[in-house]
Amino acid sequence: MEQQKKPIHLNENETPYLYEPFRNQMPVKRPHPADQEKTLKAWQGLLVFAFLMVLFNLAGIPLVFAGGMYGNALDEIIVFLIGSILVVHALRIPLKEVFPVKKPDGAGILGTVLMWYVTYRGVLALFLLMEWIFPQEYASLSESMDSSMAGLSYFGELIVVALVPAVCEEALHRGLLQYSLRGIKKKWVMLLLMGVYFGAFHMSMVRFLPMMMMGIVLSYVRMKTDNMFYSSLFHFIHNASTIVASFAASFFYMFSQGAAAAGDGYRTELYIGMYLMEAALMPIGLYMGSRLLTYQQTKKEGFFPKDGRKKTIAKIVVPTVLLIFGGLVFLGIGMA
């Protein structure tokens, strides 16, 4: 049996190239280092976060001095939005991988709104708990936030407090930082770290735990959908709701009967208990919302798939019972 000859590469004159005998020994051409796509590791993300936070505070001094909260919004746009994009561009990472924005669907939007609502109940409970533990720090924070918003119109507050953070802060957190943690195999560890990032970002002891909770849920939404539209929508609704609530509270206060209507005999423990009871909606609400986020892919399974159904129900029931119990404890303290 004749041995099959290897094909010979011929040039235009139908004669072998001079290098043909050495073709299999020639070195493979490697791309130039500048043309190679780079990546962003967890420790690099931490350094970028620290650098941008320092830059934000330094740049914010003249910007806030010149333009107040509008200057602060410009600071966020320059540092968090443009800064994050420049870092990703410098590393030659495709922007759509770090900042995925896709067309939403109705079920996803409904799931996002549901998850925001139940999370908001838990955030309120944590804020009241922080007020109970750190009353002076909480009062100072509230006074500082009220004074910073002075002079802004209702529309201006929506732009500065709701729209700009929903875009710029999400670009930094759910974009650059969450991308840097994508290599972590245990997703709960990644979500916990993202919560720590978001809590530390707000630079307040009183706000750390509430914002940590918010950051965990926002990052879960981003992880579940691979779509930053939903996390930005969640962020916008949350910040806008605080503006609407503040406006409604000031409106009703105008028609109140003075200190008695404003809360004479106020017991923080009672309110903590009530909000913890409302926060008991979080486990089932977050689960239902997460199913809606991926409804198009999982609708055949139903809301409670057979596989792991008992484990899923336990994950909902146990924290629900604990939150109700905690609420009853604080209600008892408040009425004592």
Side-chain angles (χ1 to χ4, degrees), residues 31 43 49 71 86 121 138 142 148-149 155 169 188 198 228 292 296 304 308 310 331:
W43 67 268
F49 174 72
L86 289 177
R121 314 323 296 174
Y138 186 89
S142 299
S148 64
M149 294 296 123
F155 181 75
E169 294 177 12
W188 69 267
F198 203 59
M228 285 180 58
L292 286 169
Q296 298 301 328
F304 290 96
K310 292 183 179 180
L331 285 174

Side-chain angles (χ1 to χ4, degrees), residues 38-40 48 51-52 55 76-95 98-99 168 171-172 175-176:
K38 299 181 182 179
T39 187
L40 185 67
V48 171
F51 173 75
L52 291 181
L55 183 61
E76 286 209 7
I77 293 172
I78 294 173
V79 176
F80 298 144
L81 179 60
I82 299 178
S84 297
I85 293 174
L86 289 177
V87 169
V88 172
H89 181 72
L91 292 173
R92 305 180 69 84
I93 304 173
L95 293 178
V98 184
F99 313 107
C168 302
L172 172 62
L176 188 147

